[in-house]
Amino acid sequence: MSYSEWGRSYAGRSECDCRLCRDSPVRARKDTPPLEEDRYFKRPKVSFSKPSQEMVTFITGPDDNKQTFSVHKSLACAASPFFKAAFESNMLEGTTQTMRLDDVEAEVFRVLVHYLYFRELDDSSFIILEDATGEACDFDFLLLAKLWKLGERFLMPALQNEVVIELLEGRDSVSDERLKKFAVYVCSTEGDPKEDGPQGKLKRVLLDIVAFTEYRSLFTEIMLSLSIDMVIEVAHVLKGHVPAHHLGRRRANIQQDFFVEIQDEELRLEY
């Protein structure tokens, strides 16, 4: 069975009653087509009814700071063709049923494990709450970007798409500092945003967030932290939303915008 045939749609999953789910600008926007759940959010079928359930082990981080995660093998293999190929092979991972991930941070992989079991992202891992009110005040975009990269590495596109939704929903609430960290990370790890394949998709998200941020001062600050190539790409994104013909654009005040003012008569030189 192919990965694309593994499961039913994600459409029937329950949503929490938090502000992000109730007022989701991405899941329920009226100006865009509805999300194609079958195409972008597949849910693998996994059975836990067998009397014997094999477990696999993931070890993350370097030796001096490693952490161990035990996961049901059927769940890991159903969610990721990468894991399936590794744990069902004759390689080290297959013989030991253990995978070392020295370059993966435990706090990021922990979110991936939560996703394996619940097929949703753990809000508490990336939404930062105010102590006094308990309401969302910031978003850890850097953690989400690293999680997206794990989804790319382990061939988990549905996870990547869930991350994109969270990034777009938090775009107007993330702090300047965290958005800058996100921008720097994406620019250093992602491919060309003009590519049609998976490479460059996260950079496209960054371009969209920067180009259409609600706050002018934040736009300026983020632009200063980008490379010249990324600044050019932001310009291209903005240009793509400007009508090609001048009649479709905002009408300019020709005199105020383009004309050079003539000095008052009394100040002009007489010949």
Side-chain angles (χ1 to χ4, degrees), residues 13 51 58 61 74 105 113 174 181 189 224 226 259 261 270:
R13 74 192 189 287
F58 296 91
S74 58
E105 299 172 32
V113 172
V174 64
K181 290 180 179 179
T189 60
L224 292 175
L226 300 180
F259 285 179
E261 185 176 355
E270 294 185 0

Side-chain angles (χ1 to χ4, degrees), residues 30 152 207:
K30 296 180 180 180
E152 178 183 55
L207 290 173

Side-chain angles (χ1 to χ4, degrees), residues 242-243 245-254 256-258:
V242 177
H245 196 280
H246 69 89
L247 293 179
R249 303 175 197 157
R250 176 186 67 84
R251 184 177 295 276
N253 184 326
I254 297 178
Q256 181 177 329
D257 293 346
F258 306 135

